[in-house]
Amino acid sequence: MITPLRHVLSGGLRSLAAVAMLVLLSVAPLAAGGHVVEFDIPGSAGSTHEISAGPDGNLWITQQNNSRLVKVKVDGTMEIFPLPDGSGPHGLEFDAQGRMWISLEFANEIAQVGLDGKFVARHKVPLPNAGPHGLGIGPDGTVWWTGK
């Protein structure tokens, strides 16, 4: 049995990047007889950015313009976690210990967030207006970010 590819879109907004991701990720499942299932995230278009599989078996998504995290469960239901207004979450990664890290581009911070959607720690970037954008975790556990 082929597991269907689940494609999550924000507020019905279809972007070229989302289409490209869908095409790249869906070639093997579709060629083998799979199918695509779409889920719209409730609310206004939120400038959906990163998606990452969490240690809890769910997908996690950042919505930059809506300043929120979205947890997509395997059955397609969603849980939305509001973040501070204007924080601009963008990058999202899990480290080897299963801890979630996000970049808050507009707040100029890197944050660790629990699976309950609450901040564990927030770290100001020491460069004014650096706008931490992309985020990655090195093999030694170092949190890396790119500025905008």
Side-chain angles (χ1 to χ4, degrees):
M1 174 180 229
I2 303 291
T3 303
L5 173 68
R6 295 175 186 251
H7 181 208
V8 181
L9 299 174
S10 171
L13 186 65
R14 275 62 171 180
S15 70
L16 181 57
V19 171
M21 180 180 75
L22 176 63
V23 169
L24 289 174
L25 295 179
S26 65
V27 171
L30 292 178
H35 62 280
V36 175
V37 177
E38 288 188 16
F39 296 98
D40 285 336
I41 297 173
S44 62
S47 186
T48 300
H49 280 275
E50 302 301 321
I51 185 169
S52 188
D56 56 356
N58 298 307
L59 295 175
W60 288 82
I61 300 168
T62 55
Q63 281 197 304
Q64 190 171 47
N65 292 343
N66 285 349
S67 294
R68 60 190 194 172
L69 285 171
V70 179
K71 176 170 62 173
V72 182
K73 299 176 185 175
V74 293
D75 64 2
T77 60
M78 296 178 202
E79 194 170 349
I80 295 174
F81 300 97
L83 299 174
D85 285 342
S87 58
H90 193 284
L92 182 149
E93 287 289 336
F94 289 89
D95 66 18
Q97 287 75 41
R99 298 176 297 202
M100 182 185 341
W101 294 89
I102 62 172
S103 60
L104 299 171
E105 185 175 343
F106 305 153
N108 210 43
E109 296 178 350
I110 303 296
Q112 182 186 349
V113 181
L115 296 179
D116 60 359
K118 296 180 182 171
F119 287 115
V120 174
R122 291 173 74 173
H123 307 278
K124 264 295 192 208
V125 172
L127 303 169
N129 303 313
H133 195 68
L135 190 95
I137 311 290
D140 64 352
T142 300
V143 176
W144 293 88
W145 58 272
T146 58
K148 191 165 185 183

